Amino acid sequence: MNLREFTEAVDARTSEMTWEESRMVFHSLARKVPKENRKEFLEIMDQVKNTCVAEGGGKSAAKMAASQDKSEVKREYARLKKQFDQIQEGEVFFHAQGYEDDSSSYWDRDWVYEFEDPYKIGKTYEAAARLVERCVNDGFYKTALNTFELMTDTEAGVSDGGDGFEIDFDEMIRERLISIDTDALKKSVLYGVYQNTSPKERPEVLYSYVILPFFRGVKLEEILSMGKTELPGSSRFVEEWIGFLTDKPGDVAGQFLRDAVLYQKSGDEMMEAARKGAKCHPSLLAAVLEYFEEKQDTSRQLALGQEALGLVEEKYKVRGQIALSTAQAALKTGNVELAEECWQKAFESDTNPLNYLRVAAESRDGRAYRQKALKIIDSLQPRKEASYSLERIKELETNSLSEYEKAELLFFMGDFDRAMKKCETVREGLGWSGHFIKCGLPLFLLLFLDTDTLGKGGYYAAGMAASNMGFQAREYEKGTLGALETERKNSKAAENTDSTDLFWQCFRKWKETLTPEEITGEQVGTYVTVLERLIDLRVRAIVSGQHRNHYRSVAALAAALGEVKESRGETGAKRKILLGYREVFPRHSSFHEELRAYGMPDIRKGVGKKPR
């Protein structure tokens, strides 16, 4: 229990005790007071006695206790105010020593600091956090907020042997210079804001707090559920809160709006709130659709989904989520045609390889949409990866393509010449990260594999392709019959679905949409020669450079190449390729171990022979 609950429980018990019983309690407590606190214990007793005498016994014990609490809080706030003034004026400060940390990567060094706190600044912030909690528990909300403002408005100086710098409250928490329960502090402050603000001003004032980085992750329900009794006017507040947030742009406003609507509204009310917020907060439509799906309210899910696809502009990625949720509802009602339209709309608003594979593999005619998809791909402006993180409002993120994703989609459009040229832009066997070849090479190996069964090398290639193109079973199955089947079984089935296996199934279905003219035998021969050269380039660079962490990947690629050749009639190709690399690198035993793991015969002396 918190301090307020504890003191109220003590007051309730003492009110029912006789004078003799109270005396016995004090005697028992006195025996447990540590030696260093005994003087303070006696001073508290004297203070209470003097207060009673000064006021002539005209106040009740509860009022006198409240008066004492107020006096203590006032003194503690004054003490902390002086300490925070010293911090702000630079009279006390942290010490720090900085250095470069290259433990993660030579090319990705970080400048880090080791801090010292000789003036116990962290203790001041910890004491302030305790005062905030006490003030909220005892009803001194204004003082609680003033104390929190001291914490957030004060920046502490840092002496690092140079010009020095300053760090704020959030940075102190990240650097672990303060030991406080941040979750409890967030709830206490916001509860204090609610109680200290008039109903008319409450939404705007509360929003001015939750927009701060410190309050990231807090939920409306957590604030409203604090305290022993329901907050005054909470139902009215939530209604006004929803109205305030509906036209307030930003991800924070969107998150709190979603929380409030799902917390307060019923089915039809949710739909109406989602419609009103569609322009500024389309994520609310997606959240309400997800709610209906969880509640198996298919009729509302389908009706709102179809309406939402017209309310949200095609350029927003969130429309892709809405389309898949609508497809799920359509399949539940047996409307396969609508589901296929929704898969296409998901691709139109969130253009990526996974969304295209869903169209190609799940539709009744997996090839029919290709020309329209190609026009969409060509119409999108390329996205520079470095600027991608600058998107300010995630729920209004617009559809775009990176060069990497475009190359992947060109492959699935059947434009193999352009896709292969993207692979061939790499001239060295190292430095493949961030280039299409990391995904393109395994994709081409799978394309030319003339069998439905994956060997060890082929399975690794499928896993590599799925990983590099961000293919996840759980994401792919959204809005498909597979998701319905998972729902019928159990919720854990989706978590256990192997992404590599599912990717290979989808890839095979996509291959069935190709025509003989798109990939002739002559083209296969030419492409396989290119793949052989690129894989050889990679193997030699990795092994000669002794990059042991990558031995397995290059052994798998070599094995996959052999499996492709064998599937096309070249007997013993895999054995020949793997043994060939063993001869090229005769002294690299760790590499030999990986080659054996992918099917190379073990020709070490004495292995497999019976002892005499």
Side-chain angles (χ1 to χ4, degrees):
M1 64 180 71
N2 61 38
L3 181 61
R4 182 178 183 179
E5 292 169 337
F6 175 68
T7 54
E8 288 178 354
V10 170
D11 291 342
R13 284 166 174 76
T14 54
S15 66
E16 298 173 353
M17 298 175 76
T18 64
W19 178 86
E20 187 63 30
E21 289 170 337
S22 299
R23 188 167 176 233
M24 289 177 64
V25 169
F26 266 94
H27 184 77
S28 298
L29 286 174
R31 293 174 61 85
K32 295 181 179 181
V33 174
K35 184 177 180 180
E36 62 271 17
N37 298 126
R38 289 171 184 170
K39 182 179 179 181
E40 182 182 1
F41 186 81
L42 292 172
E43 288 175 351
I44 291 173
M45 294 182 69
D46 291 339
Q47 184 181 356
V48 173
K49 181 179 179 181
N50 293 335
T51 301
C52 292
V53 171
E55 298 185 1
K59 284 190 175 182
S60 67
K63 289 182 178 179
M64 285 189 291
S67 178
Q68 182 182 351
D69 287 342
K70 185 176 182 180
S71 178
E72 290 177 0
V73 164
K74 186 176 181 180
R75 286 198 304 272
E76 178 64 0
Y77 177 80
R79 183 184 74 84
L80 290 172
K81 178 69 167 60
K82 289 181 181 179
Q83 293 186 358
F84 277 105
D85 286 344
Q86 288 180 316
I87 297 170
Q88 189 66 49
E89 295 299 324
E91 296 176 23
V92 296
F93 45 85
F94 291 107
H95 289 171
Q97 184 174 358
Y99 61 92
E100 276 190 322
D101 178 20
D102 59 356
S103 58
S104 57
S105 168
Y106 177 82
W107 302 106
D108 189 22
R109 296 187 175 192
D110 292 321
W111 189 263
V112 298
Y113 286 95
E114 290 185 356
F115 289 88
E116 293 181 2
D117 187 8
Y119 297 103
K120 309 298 181 186
I121 294 173
K123 296 297 181 184
T124 299
Y125 279 86
E126 291 162 15
R130 289 193 295 271
L131 180 60
V132 170
E133 184 176 358
R134 177 181 179 178
C135 287
V136 170
N137 288 334
D138 291 344
F140 303 122
Y141 304 118
K142 182 63 176 176
T143 304
L145 300 183
N146 288 341
T147 305
F148 181 70
E149 287 178 11
L150 286 179
M151 300 170 72
T152 54
D153 291 349
T154 303
E155 292 188 337
V158 180
S159 173
D160 64 346
D163 294 334
F165 57 95
E166 294 182 330
I167 57 174
D168 60 20
F169 178 50
D170 292 318
E171 291 171 311
M172 292 180 211
I173 293 173
R174 285 196 298 271
E175 294 290 346
R176 299 183 180 179
L177 298 173
I178 309 172
S179 179
I180 59 175
D181 185 341
T182 54
D183 288 338
L185 182 61
K186 290 175 187 178
K187 295 173 188 176
S188 293
V189 171
L190 295 180
Y191 182 85
V193 171
Y194 187 98
Q195 294 282 29
N196 191 62
T197 311
S198 67
K200 184 179 179 180
E201 298 175 337
R202 197 170 279 155
E204 186 170 359
V205 174
L206 190 66
Y207 184 76
S208 71
Y209 276 82
V210 299
I211 198 72
L212 299 174
F214 175 72
F215 292 98
R216 188 175 292 118
V218 73
K219 302 289 186 181
L220 174 67
E221 189 174 355
E222 294 172 337
I223 304 167
L224 298 179
S225 62
M226 282 189 63
K228 294 187 297 183
T229 58
E230 184 179 355
L231 283 172
S234 59
S235 296
R236 175 187 170 189
F237 163 73
V238 175
E239 287 293 336
E240 294 176 348
W241 183 238
I242 291 172
F244 174 82
L245 296 172
T246 295
D247 299 317
K248 198 77 170 175
D251 289 327
V252 174
Q255 179 60 59
F256 274 96
L257 178 62
R258 295 192 294 273
D259 288 347
V261 169
L262 297 179
Y263 177 80
Q264 177 92 340
K265 301 291 187 181
S266 60
D268 289 340
E269 293 172 337
M270 284 184 185
M271 294 176 73
E272 183 59 29
R275 292 187 191 102
K276 289 181 179 178
K279 184 175 182 179
C280 197
H281 297 292
S283 63
L284 178 58
L285 283 161
V288 172
L289 287 170
E290 184 178 346
Y291 174 85
F292 290 150
E293 183 175 339
E294 290 175 357
K295 298 297 182 182
Q296 297 188 6
D297 191 344
T298 305
S299 60
R300 282 197 176 99
Q301 182 185 354
L302 185 59
L304 181 62
Q306 289 179 282
E307 185 178 354
L309 289 171
L311 292 173
V312 180
E313 292 184 59
E314 183 180 307
K315 67 179 180 178
Y316 292 126
K317 279 191 169 187
V318 68
R319 185 171 175 268
Q321 298 176 33
I322 292 169
L324 294 178
S325 183
T326 308
Q328 194 78 70
L331 288 174
K332 286 183 178 180
T333 62
N335 193 338
V336 178
E337 184 177 351
L338 177 58
E340 290 184 6
E341 290 177 11
C342 290
W343 297 335
Q344 294 171 12
K345 291 181 186 299
F347 178 79
E348 291 162 10
S349 294
D350 190 2
T351 306
N352 61 58
L354 184 148
N355 280 347
Y356 180 74
L357 263 184
R358 187 188 294 107
V359 176
E362 303 293 335
S363 298
R364 291 165 294 182
D365 184 351
R367 188 183 174 86
Y369 186 65
R370 185 185 291 186
Q371 289 305 312
K372 186 174 181 180
L374 189 55
K375 290 180 181 179
I376 293 169
I377 293 166
D378 289 337
S379 70
L380 289 174
Q381 293 295 320
R383 181 182 71 236
K384 294 181 180 179
E385 295 296 338
S387 64
Y388 183 69
S389 61
L390 299 178
E391 181 74 46
R392 287 196 167 187
I393 303 178
K394 287 187 68 176
E395 67 174 333
L396 296 181
E397 183 182 341
T398 55
N399 191 22
S400 60
L401 269 181
S402 69
E403 287 295 330
Y404 192 113
E405 289 171 328
K406 186 170 184 177
E408 292 171 339
L409 284 167
L410 286 175
F411 176 90
F412 287 110
M413 294 298 111
D415 195 344
F416 301 124
D417 284 340
R418 287 171 68 185
M420 182 59 82
K421 285 178 182 177
K422 293 282 186 181
C423 289
E424 290 185 284
T425 58
V426 174
R427 301 298 180 187
E428 304 291 337
L430 298 177
W432 285 15
S433 296
H435 293 275
F436 170 64
I437 193 170
K438 286 272 285 188
C439 184
L441 198 150
L443 284 175
F444 274 108
L445 287 169
L446 296 173
L447 174 64
F448 302 139
L449 187 67
D450 196 16
T451 176
D452 290 342
T453 305
L454 291 176
K456 286 186 177 181
Y459 190 84
Y460 187 95
M464 184 184 293
S467 175
N468 281 288
M469 64 182 280
F471 183 97
Q472 295 180 352
R474 194 178 187 90
E475 289 299 313
Y476 176 87
E477 288 189 335
K478 288 181 177 177
T480 68
L481 289 169
L484 292 181
E485 186 62 28
T486 297
E487 184 181 303
R488 291 190 191 100
K489 292 178 180 177
N490 57 68
S491 59
K492 291 186 177 180
E495 299 174 8
N496 297 329
T497 301
D498 188 290
S499 292
T500 301
D501 288 338
L502 182 58
F503 173 73
W504 176 235
Q505 292 175 32
C506 297
F507 193 90
R508 284 163 49 202
K509 290 180 181 177
W510 165 79
K511 282 175 72 171
E512 292 172 1
T513 68
L514 298 175
T515 63
E517 294 77 22
E518 286 180 300
I519 186 71
T520 65
E522 184 180 349
Q523 286 176 308
V524 172
T526 302
Y527 286 144
V528 169
T529 300
V530 175
L531 294 179
E532 194 166 10
R533 178 179 61 80
L534 291 172
I535 290 172
D536 185 65
L537 187 71
R538 181 69 167 173
V539 172
R540 291 175 184 272
I542 292 295
V543 182
S544 62
Q546 297 189 34
H547 300 284
R548 288 182 171 81
N549 290 339
H550 296 283
Y551 282 1
R552 174 167 294 185
S553 66
V554 293
L557 289 176
L561 177 64
E563 291 164 9
V564 167
K565 288 189 170 187
E566 288 184 354
S567 74
R568 293 186 169 272
E570 189 176 330
T571 305
K574 179 175 176 180
R575 172 191 175 96
K576 181 181 177 181
I577 290 172
L578 298 183
L579 286 174
Y581 281 121
R582 186 188 186 283
E583 291 179 8
V584 174
F585 301 103
R587 299 183 180 277
H588 292 70
S589 57
S590 296
F591 180 51
H592 298 168
E593 185 178 345
E594 297 297 348
L595 290 173
R596 287 191 293 272
Y598 281 94
M600 184 185 74
D602 195 340
I603 60 173
R604 290 174 294 177
K605 291 182 179 180
V607 175
K609 292 184 179 181
K610 294 182 180 180
R612 294 180 180 178

